[in-house]
Amino acid sequence: MKLGNVEATGGFFLLMAWLNYLDRQMILPLALAACMLHELGHYAAITVMGGTVKQIRLTAVGAEMVITHPMNYWQEGTAALAGPAVNLLLARLFYGWEPGMLFSGLNLVLGCFNLLPVRCLDGGRALHCALCLAAGPVAAEWAGEWLSKGCSALILAGGILLFGDGGTITLLCIGLWLFILEFSHQKGEK
């Protein structure tokens, strides 16, 4: 479905329906608000730096923004960090206020997760930009690839251990998702 410059994929709607079905505590609206504010952080940073967002695409794994002109490493890194920064700021603002504790926790988890040094996440993009500025694109690609693979493998291993010990399947699913994305990223480059 497309509405102006915003497009939502079938996978996005399928995920929303599934999560809504499972949501017995009304967490989904708060999580969606945290995600929306995260993306608004990216959008604001791009706009402040003179960029223009041509399209926003909502998928099952997040939002993608298409910009009209490429940004330099400094601008791209700043835009990547803006989303998690908004979440961490919201986590701090709502912390300690009883009705806002769940929203604070959701923002804290979303912000910290997106700061992981995995290429498909904001932290991986920001790290890549910083390494490009410090050591050049070749070194940044090499270091980013190994950090991303290592982090994905650790998350998957942690998910397997926790699930095997009677924990939830959530971390295992996240680890599998990141690991598959790493594998498909590697395969697509060759």
Side-chain angles (χ1 to χ4, degrees):
M1 183 178 110
K2 192 167 184 173
L3 180 64
N5 294 344
V6 179
E7 176 187 351
T9 65
F12 172 78
F13 286 115
L14 183 62
L15 178 65
M16 290 302 105
W18 181 59
L19 290 174
N20 186 52
Y21 174 75
L22 295 175
D23 187 14
R24 302 282 185 243
Q25 299 172 321
M26 295 301 294
I27 294 173
L28 183 61
L30 291 174
L32 285 174
C35 291
M36 184 182 75
L37 291 167
H38 174 100
E39 296 305 330
L40 282 173
H42 292 306
Y43 184 88
I46 291 167
T47 304
V48 164
M49 290 184 288
T52 304
V53 177
K54 188 166 102 174
Q55 181 186 25
I56 299 173
R57 188 166 185 253
L58 304 174
T59 70
V61 294
E64 302 166 355
M65 291 187 192
V66 178
I67 57 175
T68 54
H69 303 293
M71 296 187 290
N72 63 36
Y73 292 128
W74 181 85
Q75 291 170 320
E76 184 179 343
T78 301
L81 292 174
V86 166
N87 291 126
L88 295 176
L89 177 64
L90 289 168
R92 180 62 190 111
L93 288 174
F94 283 88
Y95 179 75
W97 181 49
E98 186 64 34
M101 290 299 284
L102 177 59
F103 190 61
S104 175
L106 288 168
N107 276 286
L108 181 63
V109 169
L110 183 60
C112 289
F113 174 72
N114 271 283
L115 286 173
L116 291 173
V118 178
R119 285 186 277 200
C120 63
L121 300 176
D122 297 328
R125 285 182 36 230
L127 179 63
H128 175 79
C129 292
L131 288 172
C132 282
L133 289 169
V138 174
E141 190 60 37
W142 179 83
E145 179 181 344
W146 285 103
L147 276 168
S148 190
K149 284 181 179 181
C151 190
S152 297
L154 284 172
I155 293 169
L156 180 58
I160 291 168
L161 289 173
L162 285 174
F163 184 67
D165 198 34
T168 68
I169 197 168
T170 306
L171 189 60
L172 178 60
C173 290
I174 291 169
L176 278 171
W177 170 64
L178 292 173
F179 203 75
I180 289 169
L181 282 176
E182 265 311 299
F183 177 75
S184 65
H185 182 80
Q186 179 75 12
K187 187 177 179 182
E189 288 180 344
K190 291 185 178 179

